[in-house]
Amino acid sequence: MKIIKLLSLAILFTGAIYGQVATKHAITLELAKKIAVAAENKANQMNIDVVIAIVDDGGNLVYFERMNGAQLGSIKVAKKKAVSAIFFKRPTKAYQERVAGGNNALLSVDEILPFEGGAPLVYENNYIGAIGVSGGTPEQDGIIAEAGAKILEEVAK
Amino acid sequence: MKIIKLLSLAILFTGAIYGQVATKHAITLELAKKIAVAAENKANQMNIDVVIAIVDDGGNLVYFERMNGAQLGSIKVAKKKAVSAIFFKRPTKAYQERVAGGNNALLSVDEILPFEGGAPLVYENNYIGAIGVSGGTPEQDGIIAEAGAKILEEVAK
Amino acid sequence: MKIIKLLSLAILFTGAIYGQVATKHAITLELAKKIAVAAENKANQMNIDVVIAIVDDGGNLVYFERMNGAQLGSIKVAKKKAVSAIFFKRPTKAYQERVAGGNNALLSVDEILPFEGGAPLVYENNYIGAIGVSGGTPEQDGIIAEAGAKILEEVAK
Amino acid sequence: MKIIKLLSLAILFTGAIYGQVATKHAITLELAKKIAVAAENKANQMNIDVVIAIVDDGGNLVYFERMNGAQLGSIKVAKKKAVSAIFFKRPTKAYQERVAGGNNALLSVDEILPFEGGAPLVYENNYIGAIGVSGGTPEQDGIIAEAGAKILEEVAK
C-alpha cells in the first residue's frame, strides 16, 4: 500500500506541473456516512443528542443528521462549525480559545464559529472536508467531532 | 384524567418503537392567546408597553401582539427571544448571563438573543414552544414572559 | 395495534379539548434514514446522482445527503423543495403546473419552489415532514421523492 | 358625534398649518384585535384555517395569529399581503389581476404579493394600516380580509 501511495503522490505532483491542472483527494458520501456513524455512536455512548454536519473541501454540505432530541438551534451551529473548520483549516477550538482570550475581532468574520465541535477532515495532508457537531457542551461536541474525524486514520491504512 | 395521561404516554412510547413515528404535544392558538393574556395583564400591571411573540416547537410564529406604546425595535427582538428560547431549550436569561460573564463567542450564533425575556413553554416535559417579550428592561421582560409561561402549569393540572 | 391507534386518536382529541394542548405525530431520525435509503435506492436504479433533504413538520432539517456526482446547486433546491412541500402541505409539482400554466404570481412567494421533487410526508393524516430531491429532471426528482415518501405507507401498517 | 368629527378634522388641519407637524389617525392593538376577531369568525364560518396579520401605517406588525390547521407557508404570505396593501395603498387583488394580465414586471418589487387577501384599513380617508390573510384560495382569503377591514366602518359610526 505504501508504494502505491508514494506513486500516487508522485502522479499528483507530476500532473500539477505537466498540465497545470492539479488532482485532489475528495470526500465521498460513503465516507461521510462512516464518519457520521462514528460520531453518532460516540454521542449515544455519551448519552447526548447532537446534530452532525459534514461538508466537502468547498464548504458545501455532503451529509447532515439531527438526532431525535437535539435542539433546533444546533442545525445552523453544526453547519457553521463545519464550514469554519474547512474555511480556516483548523479545529474551531482554536477560535474558541482566542475569543475566550479577548480576541473579539474574530466575531466580525461570518464564517467563524468560535466553539469547539468543528474539526477538519484530513487525508494524507489534504483537507478534504470538515465535520461540525452541536448539541452538548463545546467540549462534548469536540469529543464527538473528533470521534468522527479519526475515521480518516483508519481509511488511510 | 391522570389515567388517560399515563395511557397516552404509554402509547407515545409504543408508537415511537413500533412505527418509528413519535408523538409529541403541540401548542394551539387558544393556548397561545391565554399565555398572551397573562403576559399582557402582567405588563399592564407593571405599566410597561411590550411586544409579545409566541412560537411553536419548530420556531414558527403562532401569535403576536404589539401593545400601543411599544417601540418598533421590540418587534424583531421579541420574536428572536422566542426563537432563541425554543431553539436552545432554555430561557434567554441563560445567555444574557454568559455574555455578561464574558462569553462573547455566543454573539456569533445568529439565533441567540442574549437578553432576558424569552422563555420556553414546557408541557409534561415537552418543549411545545416559547414566548418572547420585549419593551421593558431585560428583567421586566423576563417577569412578563414568565407570567405567560406559567400558564402551562395550570393547563397541566 | 388498531385498538391502540384508535385509543390514541381518542386521547388526542380529549387532550386538545381539556388542556388546549394538542398532540401530533413526529418524524424521527430513524424514519428519515429509511426514507432516504428508499429514495437513494431509486436514484441509483435510475442512475442519477441527487441531493436528498428531509425536514420535520416545522420545516427544520432532519436529514440530508448529497450523492457523489450531484451538482452543488441541488443543495439549496432540495432543501427548498422539502420546505415548500411541508409549508404548503402539497407536492411541489402542484406549483410547477400552476406556474407552467401562467400563474407567475407564485414566484413572489419565497418559500415556493415550483419544480417537482418535493413531497409531504403524511402519517395518519398528519403532515409530519417532507422530502425534497434535486439532481435530475423535475420528473425524475419527483419519482425519487415519491419512492421515499411511500415508505410511510408501510410504517403505518 | 358628527360635530366632534368635523371639529377634529378642523384641528388636524389647523395643526398641520400652524406647526408643520401633522396629526394622523392610528390603529390601536384593541382595534387590531377586533379586526382579527371579525376575520377569524368569517374563517371559522367558511371552515378554513388561516393566518391573520395586521400592520400599522408604517407596515410594522401590530397583531398576528395562526389558526390551528393553517399551513406554515401562510405566515410570511399573510404578513407580506398586509405590507403590500399598506405600502401601495390598495388591495393586493389589484396586483393579482395585473400579474394575471401579464404584468410580470411587478414581481420585481419585493413588497408586492400579487394575491388577493391583503386589504388596507381606511378610517376617514386615512390609511391607518392593513390586514393580510392567507390559508385558503386567494378569493377566500380576500373575503376573510374584507370581513376584518369592514369593522372600520362600524368604528367610524
Side-chain angles (χ1 to χ4, degrees), chain A residues 39-62:
Chain A
E40 190 183 328
N41 285 346
K42 176 58 80 177
N44 277 323
Q45 191 186 310
M46 294 166 74
N47 208 24
I48 305 166
D49 294 322
V50 297
V51 170
I52 300 165
I54 297 171
V55 298
D56 63 16
D57 64 328
N60 296 303
L61 199 59
V62 174

Side-chain angles (χ1 to χ4, degrees), chain A residues 1-2 5 123-124 150-157:
Chain A
M1 285 320 274
K2 205 126 196 205
K5 265 192 226 164
Y123 180 74
E124 288 180 1
K150 245 191 340 207
I151 291 296
L152 265 299
E153 294 167 22
E154 288 171 38
V155 172
K157 266 170 209 162

